[in-house]
Amino acid sequence: MLDIDEIEKTNLLAPHALLYTDWTVIEPHFEPAQLRARETVFTIGNGYLGTRGSFEEGYPKALPTTLISGLYDDIPLVYTELANCPDWLSMVVTIDGERFGLDIGEILQYERQLDLRHGVLRRSLRWRSPIGNTVDIKFERFASLADQQVLALICHVKPVDFSGKIEFNSSINDYPDNQGFDHWEHLDRGDTEHGVWLQVRTRSTQIELSMAAKMTAIGIAASSQINSPDRPSIRFTFLARQGDTITVEKLVTVFTSQEVKQPVQSAQAKLADLPSYEVLLAAHQQAWDKVWEHSDIEIEGDLKAQLAVRYNMFQLFIGACAEADPVADPVADPASPNNIPDSVAAKTLSGLGYRGHIFWDTEIFILPFFTLTQPTIARSLLSYRHDTLAGARRKAFHSGYNGAMFAWESAATGDEMTPKWSIQSDPYAEPVRIWCRDREIHISADIAYAVWQYWQATGDDIWMRDCGAEIVIDTAIFWLSRLEWNDQKKRYELCNAIGADEYHEQVNNNAFTNRMVQWNLEKAIAIYEWLLHKFPDQAIALVQELKLTPERLLSLHTTMSQIYIPYTANPELIEQFDGFFQLQDINLSHYEPRTRSIQAIIGMEETNHTQVLKQPDVLMLLYLMRDTPEFSFDSLQKNWNYYAPRTDITYGSSLGASIHAILAANLGEDKAYKYFMQAALIDLQDTFGNTADGIHAASAGGVWQSVVFGFGGIQLKDNGPVATPHLPATWTRLKFKLHWQGSWHNFDLTPDTHPPDIKGFIFDLDGVLTDTAEWHYRAWQRLADEEGLPFDRNANEALRGVSRKESLLLIVGKKHYLESTLQEMMERKNRYYLASIQSITPKDLLPGGIELLTEIRQAGMKIAIGSASKNARTVIEKLGLADRVDAIADGDSVAPPKPAPDLFLYAAAQLGLNPANCVVVEDAAVGIEAAIAAGMWTIGLGPFERFGGFAHLVLPNLIGVHLSDLQTQLGKSSPISKHSPGIGALNL
């Protein structure tokens, strides 16, 4: 276990923050308010199923959830959803007659870790029962990647200060909750010599499921009892002595009638043959090693980005539906006949958000990751679309069209799952029509796009012959019936559509949709001609099946050339749809600060009449068509300049940030890293406030694309992928592999080895150029004494680099004050501080500072002060530095405090410099983190342990420091690659 106390001391953590190393997400404290979101964050799985991070012993208002890929059931007259399966985790531990639970007793120590490298979740804690018995408890669990029907957990309990009875009651909870609905009929349950078993069946879809479980005591005798009539459970009782460790392991097997004919017998037979927990764990770890060997991304120079990228890839792996095999040839290794293809739901298998439905997220955001690293999984995901063509055809028919019209929200059958009207909790509210089911039709072209991309990357002619060609051609037939002929203008149009933007619900000739439709027709013609040449028999059969008459074939050609594309008249600045430029313009900065989407603020009606976007639309089109000759760099730049400021990128949609990151990186825009981290941390930091509903899968796929296509600058050429890297300033190395046409391409990208192009320095004030910490401490101490709040010098260390408001909240702790009272307390502290600093003189400058400032000025570089203090200007004047600096950014300059990058970005803007040309000199970990987030070079002053190895350069102080030495050392710096896992853990 990491020394959490030391990590908190050296990294100045905010309360309840997650920590991380390069492979591990760590929860150092239990926070009940974060219960549901952390259940999502700590999800484990293997692609076949996913289990949220609920506690084995249970907790009030927890939502234990295990979801199996493709296992849907209906709530009659309401919707179809993934069915929450029986809870296999349940393990009640009783300590000398008292039930263990985090909602009772006292938590003395707590830590939960998700090991991304090997897909293992661990929890360690010390707990004191209500009557005073103290125990150490450790849980560990995994869903086997080596054998997807196997689940395992192990529990260790050690009495610390007593001897007594320890009881484990392990069961299969056969009454799972889908937020108020139980999808399961109970068929049977029982026990065998190996354990207990359960047989249930979904109420509507009639899918049978069986779980079998056994529990084993390790190295100690126990009395046992099996109880199957009430609930399949096994009870072990131990007489434990103080200091002894009691260990039990629980192994579970699960089968459904979707993959075997007799789930009960299959579950029992596999359970009987299972080896020990440790043997299963070793096989599971080896399977993960095989996955990461080919699919890992290595980032040096940015620990937070490294962890976040791996976390998002991990979530994609455990949400995919086929066993990962990165070296398999998808052409020579066809899918198992027992493997029913399914797709990745918008929330993967990590939560009940969107009811487990499948959107365009899979094909556009998620699939590229698998296509280029795990082609067998990519093929399985696309095979789901082929297997659900019947549902797409039914939707087309009932909508009055031909061909295949794919559902906006899809489940098991491919039929439309999007409700026609929103379900209102307010009985007096007017229902809201959900138009995307009828008008967001671009998904059919999106799926065809993904089919083509997979074929280009893999050369899988057999799958294209048997599956892909039918998808692309039948969607093209749909478009022939959906396009409308404008006789006046002699062109085909698409009216009453919703583009990728989604804020505008009834538009004509959306550029994204129209061009994607044209592209769909182009590829349908190309694939048909290829099929006719290479597989003539299959071509003839497909012509007959799809009624691809000569007239319809001719129509494909003529229609494709006559589709109206809005940028035909102006190829540089593309109008998003007819009349978009005539809508009311908007300046999103006028609505800041905010915590809601623009649509939530101004309403749906006004949003429809305003030039504000939920997510990229024209820019999404430019991204998807980036390898075609029609789009130039200049066109991308002009459309970026116009549409990026009008996109509600922060609160509109989780899909937008990654696309903005890619395009910004390609354009050399400074904000690329900011957008990237916004996408990468969306679930780890719960920035949208809805992580409890499940992982943002599209954003996770977009994160991978941001690294590969954005910062890696990968372009997919006919002879393979080519890199033109645009690495963030702090990244010293980027490594990844891509699978293309049967071969692996290794990329090891580094920036120039020349010294960084430094044009300016931004100095923190306190602790860097002077030391006002003592005066701050005395002012806070006086305030705390007046208010009767506990405070001392150790507590004062946590205030280093923290804003005044945040400092006060840390001092106040759980004690409640009115906002007006807090404001008065801050003003009072400030009065005490101002009175004390009146005696500051240039003599209070720290050694070495004035000499370095002089060298920087002589070199023609610019200097700014970046201090969170609202009294920085007063201190600067008294120190005699006013004529030595070019700009001042203080506590009044920006609202978000460090570790937000805003203060340093403001300082760089005042200097007229790009962030990549700036060096920040800081003495606080949060300041270094803020500078890295701003894309700047960093120098940390103080002990190395304070900065965890993530500052580019760490110095004890500025004594004897010369500018030339700093330039040389920064050019060589790569400290993150040398960090130790314990020291390198940072605040998320």
Side-chain angles (χ1 to χ4, degrees), residues 205-218:
T205 53
Q206 299 291 289
I207 300 171
E208 185 179 321
L209 177 146
S210 181
M211 282 186 179
K214 66 180 179 180
M215 187 164 67
T216 305
I218 307 300

Side-chain angles (χ1 to χ4, degrees), residues 473-517:
I473 295 174
D474 215 16
T475 51
I477 292 172
F478 159 66
W479 293 122
L480 291 181
S481 63
R482 177 60 175 83
L483 286 158
E484 305 162 46
W485 176 252
N486 186 326
D487 192 56
Q488 181 180 359
K489 297 184 177 180
K490 305 301 180 184
R491 68 191 190 191
Y492 283 101
E493 300 181 341
L494 279 168
C495 300
N496 295 321
I498 297 176
D501 159 28
E502 294 186 347
Y503 269 171
H504 301 88
E505 295 184 322
Q506 186 173 350
V507 305
N508 298 334
N509 296 313
N510 169 253
F512 176 88
T513 304
N514 284 27
R515 179 63 182 100
M516 290 293 288
V517 169

Side-chain angles (χ1 to χ4, degrees), residues 235-257:
R235 178 176 299 167
F236 280 3
T237 303
F238 303 86
L239 292 176
R241 295 177 301 180
Q242 179 179 346
D244 287 348
T245 298
I246 308 298
T247 300
V248 297
E249 63 181 43
K250 178 180 182 179
L251 305 181
V252 180
T253 58
V254 56
F255 284 88
T256 78
S257 56

Side-chain angles (χ1 to χ4, degrees), residues 63 126 231 339 574 581 599 646 792 833 836:
L63 184 60
R126 173 165 287 188
R231 172 182 293 179
N339 178 29
I574 303 170
F581 290 152
Q599 187 183 67
R646 292 167 173 82
D792 55 23
Y833 173 73
S836 66

Side-chain angles (χ1 to χ4, degrees), residues 886-931:
D886 301 293
I888 299 173
D890 60 14
D892 289 321
S893 300
V894 295
K898 304 170 189 177
D902 301 57
L903 183 71
F904 294 134
L905 290 173
Y906 177 87
Q910 294 298 107
L911 294 176
L913 299 178
N914 289 326
N917 301 125
C918 297
V919 178
V920 170
V921 185
E922 260 279 3
D923 75 316
V926 291
I928 295 296
E929 188 175 1

